[in-house]
Amino acid sequence: MKFINTLLKTTLLLFVISFSSCKDENPQKLASNSGFNSSFCKLTKTIQSGQTNSTTNYTWDGNTCTGDNGYVAEYNNYGEVVRSESNGITNVYEYKDCSNFCKLTKTVQSGQTNLTINYTWDGNTRTGNDGSVAEFNESGEMIRLIANGITYLWEYNDCNNFCKLTKSSYSGQGLNYTTNYKWIGNTQIGDDGTEIKFNNSGEMTKYEGNGVTIIYEYKDCN
């Protein structure tokens, strides 16, 4: 399941949800660098309604995406962002070993703040010099993350076309929360009131939750 990866940047420079990104990212996830496909869906439009109403169009020149909101991002051939620019902030990402999924090795943020995080890998476990530890499945989906004293867990089934999230939870720092999801075809329904539709590539096409509806349109989903 690809993440609008684009939940973009806490002090950990983790992928956190951002509706200005050129790829869809599942709101349930705090981080992912899934990249097992050598092609990727290219976002062309987002339409948000509810608490606020807005439309953003995206144009592509090769693997570089430009939004009419000023967001610019460059991707590798696996759909992982390697550079993004928005609101005076530049983020650069480096990876290795994109055979099953691209493994993030370094993030650099510059602009309003300057921050560099290096990551090392032991199998599918990633450790950052910021103290974060993340574990991924063979499809590149994050299944466990420890960061800032909080532990996040994700469970999936049916990773044939894309991994379908069935449970997410976080605990620590006085927090304890769990969300369960059921699936009807490519539609994910959470007991938190969210409903998310995906295409066959695992990209979000419609998100409904918390009084907000967002529609995503793509091209080149080969």
Side-chain angles (χ1 to χ4, degrees):
M1 191 181 299
K2 300 280 183 170
F3 281 86
I4 265 187
N5 279 296
T6 354
L7 303 165
L8 282 178
K9 301 352 176 250
T10 62
T11 55
L12 297 171
L13 292 184
L14 296 174
F15 289 118
V16 295
I17 192 160
S18 167
F19 299 125
S20 64
S21 143
C22 297
K23 284 181 59 193
D24 120 57
E25 296 301 335
N26 185 331
Q28 271 63 45
K29 294 303 285 290
L30 291 177
S32 172
N33 30 321
S34 168
F36 59 94
N37 291 320
S38 60
S39 61
F40 62 97
C41 296
K42 295 180 177 180
L43 188 67
T44 57
K45 179 185 282 189
T46 61
I47 303 170
Q48 180 173 337
S49 59
Q51 299 173 5
T52 60
N53 298 307
S54 64
T55 298
T56 304
N57 294 287
Y58 302 90
T59 58
W60 289 82
D61 181 6
N63 284 354
T64 299
C65 168
T66 303
D68 58 18
N69 57 2
Y71 182 86
V72 179
E74 181 182 352
Y75 295 82
N76 64 17
N77 288 331
Y78 297 89
E80 299 300 339
V81 63
V82 295
R83 181 182 176 88
S84 68
E85 297 180 24
S86 181
N87 298 319
I89 298 175
T90 298
N91 293 292
V92 177
Y93 308 88
E94 298 180 8
Y95 305 89
K96 71 170 186 177
D97 185 18
C98 287
S99 53
N100 289 330
F101 64 95
C102 295
K103 295 183 175 181
L104 185 68
T105 58
K106 187 175 184 179
T107 61
V108 180
Q109 184 178 86
S110 59
Q112 298 175 8
T113 60
N114 296 307
L115 181 64
T116 298
I117 301 174
N118 294 289
Y119 302 94
T120 57
W121 289 81
D122 181 6
N124 286 349
T125 299
R126 185 188 75 195
T127 302
N129 63 0
D130 57 351
S132 64
V133 179
E135 183 180 352
F136 298 81
N137 65 17
E138 289 297 322
S139 296
E141 296 296 345
M142 186 175 288
I143 58 176
R144 184 169 181 260
L145 169 68
I146 301 173
N148 292 334
I150 300 176
T151 298
Y152 305 87
L153 299 173
W154 297 273
E155 298 179 11
Y156 306 88
N157 67 12
D158 185 19
C159 285
N160 292 324
N161 291 329
F162 63 94
C163 294
K164 294 182 175 181
L165 185 67
T166 58
K167 185 177 181 179
S168 64
S169 64
Y170 58 85
S171 60
Q173 301 286 13
L175 303 172
N176 194 344
Y177 189 78
T178 298
T179 304
N180 294 287
Y181 308 93
K182 66 178 182 180
W183 288 81
I184 301 175
N186 283 354
T187 299
Q188 172 191 291
I189 301 171
D191 60 16
D192 58 353
T194 58
E195 183 172 316
I196 305 173
K197 295 182 179 181
F198 297 84
N199 62 20
N200 288 330
S201 298
E203 300 292 355
M204 196 186 319
T205 58
K206 186 176 183 180
Y207 168 85
E208 293 182 277
N210 302 312
V212 175
T213 298
I214 306 171
I215 296 172
Y216 305 87
E217 298 179 6
Y218 305 88
K219 69 173 185 176
D220 296 347
C221 286
N222 297 325

